[in-house]
Amino acid sequence: MGEVGQEVCSESFLMDKKAKLFVAGYRGLVGSAIVRKLIESGFENLVLRTHQELDLTRQADVEKFFSEERPKYVIVAAAKVGGIHANNTYPADFIAINLQIQTNVIDASYKNGVKKLLFLGSSCIYPKFAPQPITEEALLTGPLEPTNEWYAIAKIAGIKMCQAYRLQYNWDAISGMPTNLYGPNDNFHPENSHVLPALIRRFHEAKVTGAKEVVVWGTGSPLREFLHVDDLADAVMFLMDKYSDLPHVNVGSGNEVTIKNLAELVKEVVGFEGELKWDPTKPDGTPRKLMDSSKLANMGWKPKISLRDGLVGTYKWYVDNYFQ
């Protein structure tokens, strides 16, 4: 393997601010954060399309878009995402739509002269019982978590497609795998949101309605890792500028928190003054899920936003934008 930045990457991405850059999926949690970071960093030639303007599952439309726009850089943040219930209910959608999006975008990028592409995946690509903390080398060493294997298989295929195009065409395609993310534009839906936005919503609604208590499933003992989406966006800029190699790269905070401590912190940030109760008859889920992001740390990147500060900002965004 070449050293960081030495394989097929020459000029600096961060110095190339007039270059045309396409962010696929720019309105989601991840894509919107990347766009904010790009604008803040002085990039002035962003090509952005809504799903209505460009359906990334339609190969002919994607090829037409790339042949007309010919972006120099591409960041793939578009994906069909959802929780356990959605993955169990719509497995065909989760594998087919994600395979279509990434195959169309990666292939059209290569064919239309894109200089560099970054594909974003998810920590669910790793085996269910991977040793903790999970290194990049754990990929494909054991069976996946059955509840989201359809999504995970698609994301693994995306990593392998980037690697295959690099090997066959010496093309600069790289992959980053983020840990659990949170921040502005998250999904706060009462049924299918992830643990952190779900806690924010429940404590806020309890505060507004004057409820005496909030009951949370399980014992609160599982350990989880969270990364603010603005830190991920910062890592994306770093990888686009500094990294050019075959293996994918984990992007995590390296900090673990118990669900109990997380719930107590959310309660405090929201200002709910009732009681927090646990229901130990309900499942806890995986005891621990932490990614090993030492590879990225050794390159010189580390997150800047503390969990408390990130929660304060996320709660403010939720109140301002989401709560009806």
Side-chain angles (χ1 to χ4, degrees):
M1 302 297 170
E3 290 181 13
V4 174
Q6 297 303 306
E7 199 169 297
V8 293
C9 182
S10 51
E11 70 183 298
S12 166
F13 168 75
L14 291 177
M15 301 299 288
D16 204 5
K17 288 176 178 161
K18 293 191 187 305
K20 190 177 279 192
L21 196 155
F22 174 52
V23 180
Y26 83 98
R27 295 213 293 191
L29 170 67
V30 173
S32 61
I34 292 169
V35 168
R36 284 196 303 275
K37 188 70 183 175
L38 287 164
I39 292 169
E40 177 193 304
S41 303
F43 284 81
E44 51 194 55
N45 197 359
L46 304 185
V47 185
L48 306 172
R49 294 289 186 275
T50 64
H51 177 70
Q52 288 70 32
E53 292 166 332
L54 176 62
D55 183 346
L56 296 173
T57 67
R58 298 174 67 90
Q59 184 180 14
D61 293 356
V62 174
E63 290 182 346
K64 181 172 183 287
F65 164 78
F66 272 91
S67 67
E68 290 173 356
E69 292 292 340
R70 299 191 72 82
K72 186 172 183 180
Y73 300 105
V74 172
I75 298 168
V76 187
K80 179 175 178 60
V81 297
I84 292 171
H85 177 73
N87 271 269
N88 279 339
T89 311
Y90 308 108
D93 289 355
F94 275 89
I95 194 164
I97 291 171
N98 284 303
L99 284 172
Q100 287 163 353
I101 289 171
Q102 64 205 37
T103 302
N104 291 342
V105 173
I106 293 168
D107 187 63
S109 292
Y110 168 70
K111 286 178 176 170
N112 289 281
V114 166
K115 178 180 171 60
K116 184 165 192 169
L117 176 143
L118 169 61
F119 172 74
L120 287 166
S122 158
S123 58
C124 74
I125 61 166
Y126 291 114
K128 181 174 184 176
F129 300 111
Q132 306 283 329
I134 307 169
T135 65
E136 287 89 353
E137 290 71 32
L139 185 65
L140 296 175
T141 58
L144 299 163
E145 164 59 57
T147 54
N148 60 16
E149 67 176 335
W150 320 106
Y151 176 76
I153 288 285
K155 286 297 178 183
I156 293 167
I159 296 171
K160 291 298 171 187
M161 189 168 176
C162 288
Q163 292 177 345
Y165 276 59
R166 178 178 284 271
L167 289 168
Q168 185 168 334
Y169 302 120
N170 196 35
W171 182 52
D172 198 4
I174 60 173
S175 300
M177 298 299 120
T179 187
N180 300 310
L181 301 167
Y182 73 101
N185 287 313
D186 207 342
N187 169 23
F188 292 86
H189 190 279
E191 269 87 53
N192 60 20
S193 58
H194 293 120
V195 60
L196 205 154
L199 287 170
I200 289 174
R201 181 181 183 122
R202 291 188 61 200
F203 279 115
H204 179 80
E205 290 181 347
K207 181 176 86 165
V208 169
T209 59
K212 296 273 195 296
E213 64 179 36
V214 168
V215 180
V216 181
W217 278 22
T219 64
S221 64
L223 287 157
R224 292 292 181 271
E225 175 187 26
F226 295 95
L227 182 72
H228 194 283
V229 73
D230 289 347
D231 272 334
L232 171 64
D234 190 59
V236 164
M237 304 288 282
F238 181 88
L239 289 168
M240 285 293 287
D241 191 56
K242 302 287 188 191
Y243 185 70
S244 177
D245 211 341
L246 191 68
H248 66 282
V249 180
N250 286 345
V251 185
S253 65
N255 297 318
E256 290 179 289
V257 61
T258 64
I259 297 297
K260 182 175 187 294
N261 288 347
L262 178 69
E264 287 167 351
L265 187 56
V266 172
K267 177 178 182 282
E268 180 189 323
V269 165
V270 170
F272 173 66
E273 294 180 351
E275 196 176 348
L276 166 57
K277 289 193 170 175
W278 296 91
D279 181 358
T281 65
K282 296 293 195 293
D284 263 336
T286 308
R288 187 184 188 211
K289 191 176 179 191
L290 173 68
M291 293 210 311
D292 182 337
S293 299
S294 57
K295 179 175 171 177
L296 181 57
N298 290 338
M299 290 181 219
W301 184 86
K302 60 176 184 287
K304 301 176 180 72
I305 302 168
S306 72
L307 184 56
R308 178 185 291 277
D309 289 348
L311 282 174
V312 168
T314 303
Y315 178 54
K316 183 180 185 307
W317 183 90
Y318 170 70
V319 172
D320 291 346
N321 294 274
Y322 211 98
F323 188 71
Q324 304 298 322

